[in-house]
Amino acid sequence: MTVEGTLQNNGQVSFYTRSYCYQGACSLVGPTLELIPGDTFSLTVTNNLGANPSNEDTTMNSMHSPNNTNLHTHGLHIDPNIDTIFALMHPGETHTYVYEVPADHAPGTHWYHDHAHGSSTLKVMGGLVGAVIIRPSGAENIPASISSGEEHLLVISQLIVAQAKDADGYVSQGCGNGITCDPDTQPPDCTAWQVALQSGGSTFSPFRVYSYRELSAATGSEMDAIVSVTDSSVEDPMFFINGQYQPTISISQDSTVTLRIVAAYGGDRMRFELRGGECTMSLIAVDGVYRTDVQSKAKVYLMAGSRADVQVRCSRSGTTDLAAEGMTIGYIEVSGTASSYASTTSAELAAIVRPGYLDDLSSATADVDYSVHMSQGSRPIAECGGADLFWFGAGSDCSSVSPWGSEEPSSSSSECPFGFFEGQRGADASAYTNANKLALRSAQMKMPQITSQ
């Protein structure tokens, strides 16, 4: 598999990005990896991207190196020294991952993505993602309604075209400095918190969701980041299913179909639901782990990177919308006569044979109490332009120690020693408050050289 600079066009939107390519095919979603417990799987990845910017700043917790890459999985119980986010492929380099899947690995739905620090959000939004499915070996007692039933894989990715704003109309996090936010000419440096303080308010939105163009500029990418939308009615952010905009899944009436859903993006949560039609939805697995009972759901909530397996059954022909955060992202077209696919029962889920690492320890007696606390901010709250801090504490008791708790965090605390590291803007905030930065990089952007396959 290679990583290439490509021009992607799914009929509704076109943009230059970095893509996983296999056997000459490059798409908005990488190939699906299907494995069986006990497998040894070798995956060789070659980075065919161009050079990184020559004058880039690679400071920790800053955005940089848009053309470095690697591959990281979610959900596989494999050697972390192999599946490591620190194995980097610089432009022109090749790396081979050898995954040894344990013989007792639970079957389930997982995923992989680029996790090269400094630019992973840009590349995940651009499509460097893919699914991993662990198929049953036969020893797990997976019911036939799952192992032999009809299923569809939905790798749901997200592309943000415009600068995201909060409910008050402001871009969260960063420093305002009296600058009007404009993603075409200025960096992401407006903050709802700063505006609220100026008006006597106290609201603070600590998280920042960047558009594709902002991420491209912040990493110093020289790839053209302009996203061309061919249909003005397309909503932003855009959700794609397997790289497609609003695809249609055809199923039979009164037949149970399993949807393997992957929230393959790095933004906010996703509220997944069915709208219209006469369809029911049942949750049977979360994050690659089968439940012990079937849960009927009107909506399923997934955080970024999580997975859910649901079974859908429609009693009437017609069209049902697949919706994420209230937006239609695809359709189910129901027609024909019922097949023999039945719904999975709670008894069948409870009878699945599970590995030891999935033992229920909720009622076990703990030998040692250990707690962890992590927060974002600073104490006192940073002035605009100051460096944000992350606070991480771990010890026997962190219940009273936090940046806003009764006890000041300290590295010398006996119960919960804290460590501190600089957050989003790093030590030098000027890189994110310089109104000329994005304008300069926009002028320098150019088309990538696309390698022929």
Side-chain angles (χ1 to χ4, degrees):
M1 188 163 70
T2 61
V3 178
E4 313 275 354
T6 65
L7 173 62
Q8 293 293 332
N9 187 333
N10 63 6
Q12 298 295 330
V13 60
S14 64
F15 63 105
Y16 285 96
T17 187
R18 298 153 182 84
S19 303
Y20 287 125
C21 305
Y22 180 67
Q23 294 183 341
C26 307
S27 65
L28 274 174
V29 173
T32 298
L33 309 181
E34 294 200 5
L35 307 173
I36 296 175
D39 274 353
T40 297
F41 178 72
S42 179
L43 175 63
T44 299
V45 182
T46 298
N47 182 355
N48 284 339
L49 297 172
N52 286 304
S54 59
N55 60 342
E56 68 175 355
D57 178 6
T58 58
T59 302
M60 182 66 72
N61 295 321
S62 67
M63 297 187 188
H64 58 82
S65 305
N67 289 343
N68 287 349
T69 191
N70 60 13
L71 191 145
H72 172 59
T73 70
H74 282 229
L76 299 188
H77 285 253
I78 55 179
D79 188 347
N81 293 308
I82 302 298
D83 183 29
T84 172
I85 62 175
F86 300 110
L88 281 180
M89 282 164 277
H90 296 86
E93 295 182 345
T94 296
H95 184 80
T96 298
Y97 297 89
V98 180
Y99 302 138
E100 296 184 353
V101 184
D104 65 344
H105 200 294
T109 305
H110 308 291
W111 74 300
Y112 65 89
H113 65 93
D114 172 282
H115 200 136
H117 279 182
S119 56
S120 61
T121 305
L122 167 69
K123 287 172 286 186
V124 168
M125 188 180 293
L128 283 187
V129 300
V132 181
I133 298 177
I134 303 293
R135 296 293 183 185
S137 66
E140 302 89 354
N141 197 31
I142 301 297
S145 53
I146 297 174
S147 60
S148 301
E150 180 181 351
E151 69 173 43
H152 296 274
L153 173 64
L154 280 63
V155 179
I156 302 177
S157 56
Q158 184 187 65
L159 177 66
I160 301 174
V161 178
Q163 198 171 42
K165 298 182 179 181
D166 66 11
D168 296 321
Y170 298 112
V171 178
S172 64
Q173 195 154 6
C175 285
N177 294 334
I179 300 174
T180 301
C181 283
D182 182 350
D184 292 329
T185 59
Q186 295 172 335
D189 59 1
C190 289
T191 167
W193 170 69
Q194 182 69 10
V195 173
L197 287 185
Q198 292 171 356
S199 61
S202 59
T203 59
F204 172 55
S205 180
F207 298 104
R208 177 77 171 85
V209 179
Y210 290 88
S211 69
Y212 183 74
R213 188 172 185 184
E214 290 174 300
L215 289 168
S216 182
T219 60
S221 173
E222 296 178 343
M223 199 177 272
D224 188 345
I226 301 299
V227 178
S228 298
V229 181
T230 58
D231 185 349
S232 60
S233 66
V234 173
E235 295 182 273
D236 186 26
M238 301 179 193
F239 288 95
F240 302 139
I241 298 179
N242 303 335
Q244 303 173 64
Y245 183 75
Q246 295 183 343
T248 297
I249 299 171
S250 297
I251 68 173
S252 298
Q253 180 179 327
D254 293 320
S255 180
T256 299
V257 175
T258 299
L259 304 182
R260 295 178 178 266
I261 305 168
V262 180
Y265 58 90
D268 204 349
R269 72 176 189 183
M270 178 177 66
R271 182 182 73 253
F272 181 88
E273 59 188 318
L274 307 178
R275 299 190 305 189
E278 297 291 334
C279 301
T280 60
M281 180 169 62
S282 300
L283 181 66
I284 61 171
V286 176
D287 288 341
V289 177
Y290 286 108
R291 294 183 49 82
T292 56
D293 64 337
V294 176
Q295 279 195 339
S296 178
K297 293 286 188 180
K299 303 173 182 177
V300 174
Y301 290 91
L302 296 92
M303 298 305 294
S306 63
R307 291 85 64 203
D309 290 15
V310 300
Q311 289 191 333
V312 173
R313 189 179 184 92
C314 301
S315 60
R316 188 178 66 186
S317 62
T319 302
T320 296
D321 288 8
L322 301 172
E325 290 302 298
M327 293 183 284
T328 298
I329 63 172
Y331 303 96
I332 293 178
E333 188 66 35
V334 184
S335 61
T337 57
S339 65
S340 59
Y341 300 130
S343 299
T344 302
T345 67
S346 292
E348 288 175 322
L349 287 183
I352 291 176
V353 178
R354 304 165 195 271
Y357 62 78
L358 292 179
D359 287 348
D360 183 0
L361 302 179
S362 59
S363 60
T365 301
D367 296 325
V368 178
D369 289 330
Y370 199 77
S371 61
V372 174
H373 181 96
M374 185 172 182
S375 295
Q376 180 184 9
S378 56
R379 191 178 181 100
I381 295 177
E383 296 294 331
C384 187
D388 285 343
L389 290 178
F390 284 88
W391 311 66
F392 187 86
S396 59
D397 184 8
C398 293
S399 60
S400 63
V401 186
S402 74
W404 299 277
S406 58
E407 183 180 340
E408 183 83 15
S410 170
S411 59
S412 60
S413 170
S414 59
E415 294 183 324
C416 187
F418 263 73
F420 312 93
F421 57 97
E422 290 165 347
Q424 177 178 342
R425 293 194 298 272
D428 181 6
S430 64
Y432 290 90
T433 56
N434 180 353
N436 295 319
K437 182 177 181 182
L438 187 56
L440 175 63
R441 285 191 172 160
S442 296
Q444 294 173 339
M445 288 175 183
K446 56 187 179 183
M447 297 293 201
Q449 296 297 315
I450 301 177
T451 305
S452 60
Q453 301 301 308

